[in-house]
Amino acid sequence: MKKCLSALLALLALALPLGAVAQELEVMVIDGAAAPVEEQQLTAESAIRIPDDCIIDGPWARWYSDKAISQGSGFVYLDTQENGAESLRWDFPVDTHTPLLVKMNFTNMSHEETKLLSRVSCEVIYDDKYIFETTPMQVNPEQTDAEGVTGASASIDGTPLPPLFGTELRFYTNVPKLVRDSDAPLIARVTLDDSTVFTIDVRSVVETYNGEE
């Protein structure tokens, strides 16, 4: 049965474009049975509610114009849960790329604390052909940076999120400037617990930062 299912999926994958494969053919095998992965779209006007688990809303994105890049604009992040942590600069090829941040709000609606970063992953898909992997981060509630500012930077080392607490979930990556400057589709595909997938139309929520006047 498993061999037949694999063969069928392989044949269908050859006949359909990447987007169709992602939406219609992705499966998980649970106790020998195929279970479809639930997929939803997250927009600026919508929210995804998973009962007894979480609420996800407020998608937003940012990248930089050439002017902002020339002025030295860039993202910063933390690599620890400790207060007073020094901010690190996100590296990117200045001449050819812009960093891209995709973020959203996550509220823990379960009855237990959750380790969020171990539950999520995200890939950014350009023109249904090219995939950019991202680094997940979260804003640790009440963590201060070296300047004593709370909540200014996300960390790759996430603290457990207690019930009813919310945070910003962020994904960092780099994309070529031609991606920024084109009109081709740009979709962020976020997976939660390997069972829930939600997509964000990045171009509908992205802000281009133009630097200082």
Side-chain angles (χ1 to χ4, degrees):
M1 182 63 184
K2 290 183 180 178
K3 291 183 178 179
C4 292
L5 175 62
S6 298
L8 177 60
L9 293 180
L11 289 173
L12 289 173
L14 291 174
L16 293 172
L18 184 151
V21 173
Q23 294 182 19
E24 298 181 21
L25 299 183
E26 183 169 357
V27 298
M28 294 189 307
V29 176
I30 304 176
D31 295 330
V37 174
E38 180 183 0
E39 185 162 329
Q40 306 174 60
Q41 184 176 22
L42 180 64
T43 69
E45 295 77 27
S46 68
I48 291 177
R49 293 175 170 84
I50 304 176
D52 300 319
D53 190 337
C54 64
I55 298 174
I56 301 169
D57 62 5
W60 182 82
R62 170 177 276 186
W63 50 28
Y64 293 114
S65 68
D66 287 351
K67 176 185 174 183
I69 292 172
S70 70
Q71 292 178 347
S73 298
F75 298 136
V76 297
Y77 67 99
L78 307 175
D79 64 354
T80 176
Q81 301 177 9
E82 301 298 323
N83 287 328
E86 292 287 343
S87 296
L88 304 175
R89 185 175 177 83
W90 179 262
D91 291 328
F92 67 100
V94 173
D95 294 333
T96 57
H97 288 65
T98 174
L100 169 65
L101 158 66
V102 178
K103 74 176 185 178
M104 62 221 65
N105 303 318
F106 180 98
T107 303
N108 182 12
M109 299 301 292
S110 72
H111 300 155
E112 300 177 351
E113 66 179 22
T114 184
K115 294 183 178 180
L116 180 57
L117 295 186
S118 64
R119 300 176 59 190
V120 296
S121 63
C122 174
E123 58 186 18
V124 175
I125 304 171
Y126 170 62
D127 199 22
D128 294 328
K129 299 174 184 176
Y130 305 97
I131 296 176
F132 302 93
E133 300 297 333
T134 71
T135 299
M137 305 187 193
Q138 76 174 42
V139 175
N140 292 328
E142 301 184 4
Q143 182 184 12
T144 60
D145 60 19
E147 285 71 44
V149 180
T150 302
S153 300
S155 178
I156 60 175
D157 186 9
T159 58
L161 191 66
L164 300 181
F165 271 63
T167 189
E168 281 187 2
L169 177 60
R170 302 181 184 181
F171 298 96
Y172 285 12
T173 191
N174 299 323
V175 296
K177 292 178 181 179
L178 65 88
V179 172
R180 178 197 64 193
D181 298 336
S182 80
D183 294 325
L186 189 66
I187 303 297
R189 191 169 186 270
V190 182
T191 302
L192 176 68
D193 296 331
D194 295 325
S195 60
T196 299
V197 175
F198 55 95
T199 59
I200 301 167
D201 179 356
V202 175
R203 296 198 190 277
S204 71
V205 297
V206 70
E207 171 190 283
T208 301
Y209 178 63
N210 288 313
E212 299 180 358
E213 296 298 331

